[in-house]
Amino acid sequence: MVEKLLRKLGLGHAAYRLAAPFYAAKYGKGSGTEDPAGAMALLESTSPKPGSSCYIPGRGEKEGGEAAQLDIIIPAYNVEKYIRRCLDSVLSQETAYSFRVLVVDDGSTDSTGSILDSYEGICLIRQENKGFSGARNTGLEHASAEYIMFLDADDELCPGAVESLMRCARETGAAIVEGGYVETDTEGSVIRRHPHPQGEMSISQCQGYVWGKLILRSLFDNAAFTQGSWYQDSIIRQVICPLAYKQGNKVVGVDLPVVMYRQNPKGITKTSRSRNKSLDSLYITMQLFEDRKKYGLEITREYYDYILGMAVLTYSRTRQQSDEVKRAIFTVYADFLDKNFRGWKTENGKLACLEKAFRERDYGSYLAYCRLH
C-alpha cells in the first residue's frame, strides 16, 4: 500500500531514498542466504535451468528465397481467434519490396491449422509442438531473405509497416530497423500508442522486443532462440544488437507505428509472476552473458548498466515467489556481479543505489529499489 502511494505521488527516485532506510531496517542488511551455491541449489530445486545456449554453428547457404527481400516469420499455436487478422494485415501490405510469409504451425490443436490451409500466398510449415522458441527457430531455418521480421500470431502489422522499415534499411544500410507500436486490448481497441524516435540509435535505446523490427538475417547465422526458456526476447539486447554494432552496422528507428500489439491476459508477461518458471529471467540473463563470450562481445559500461537494470525486471517477474526464493535470487545475482563485474562502477546515479545494495549485500535496500522503480 505504501509503495503504491509513493509511486502515485510521482516522487520517482526520491521515493526510494525515503523508503530505503525503512526497508533496510525491516528486512535486514544481509540477504539471509549468504551461500551462493546453496542459493542456486534452492532455485534449481524450485525451477530447473533450461540449460540451452543461443549459440549454434553457422546455418550454411540458403536456397529458395532469393526472390524475396524479406521473410516474415509467424509462429502460430492455437490462435484461431486472431490468426486471420494477423495474416490479413501482412498480406495486405502495400510495398515495392518483395516478402515471403513463413507461418510455423507449432502443433496447434484448435482450428488454427484449417484456417491456415485456407490461405494462399503463405509458406506453411507444420511441426510437433516445440514451444515459442522452437517455432521461431524453425522459421529461421527456412528463412533465406536478406532481412527477417518476427510477428506474433495474435498481433498485426500496421499499414505501411513493411514499406517504411525496408525503405529505411535500404536508405541507411542499417542492420536493424525498428518502429513504434500501438497497444490494444484483446478485441483490438487501442489502449495506448508507443511512438519511436527517428534516426540512428545506441544499444541502450533499442527495444528489447523481437517483434516490431527488421533484422539482417545474417545476424542469426550463429544464433537461435534458447530452447525451453521464457523471456527469449533477451537475445535482442544481449546478443543481436551488440553483434550488429560489432560488425560496424547501424541500428535505426522510424517514427511510425509498425505493429498492433495485443495485450494477452494469458501470456507469459501477465501470468509469469506466480509461476516457478519465472526464474528463467535470472537463468537466461546469466546464460546469454556466457554466450556473448562465444561471439567475442566485450563488456561495456552500457552493458553493465543493462545487467543492473535486468535485476529490477527479474524481481518484477518473480515478485510472487516466496521470500526464501527472492532472497536466493538476490544472493545469486550479487555473486554473479562480483564474479563478472568486479571493479565496475556505474555512472548512472539512480543505478548506483542498486549497485551499492548488491555490493553491500543489503537486501532491504534492494527490495526498496525494485519495488519503487
Side-chain angles (χ1 to χ4, degrees), residues 23 45 110 220 231 246 248 261 296 323 327:
Y23 276 82
S45 69
D110 64 0
F220 276 95
Y231 316 116
K246 182 186 177 186
Y261 172 74
D323 184 62
R327 286 177 181 272

Side-chain angles (χ1 to χ4, degrees), residues 8 14 38 60 101 110 132 175 177 180 187 192 223 239 269 278 287 336:
K8 282 185 177 180
V101 185
D110 64 0
F132 215 46
V177 183
E187 301 305 316
R192 63 182 64 87
V239 174
T269 302
S278 61
Q287 178 61 58
F336 171 69

Side-chain angles (χ1 to χ4, degrees), residues 219-250:
L219 291 173
F220 276 95
D221 279 351
N222 296 97
F225 294 94
T226 52
Q227 294 282 4
S229 290
W230 284 359
Y231 316 116
Q232 308 145 19
D233 287 15
S234 297
I235 192 177
I236 295 296
R237 284 288 302 274
Q238 284 225 57
V239 174
I240 299 302
C241 283
L243 272 177
Y245 283 104
K246 182 186 177 186
Q247 295 171 6
N249 294 313
K250 297 177 182 177

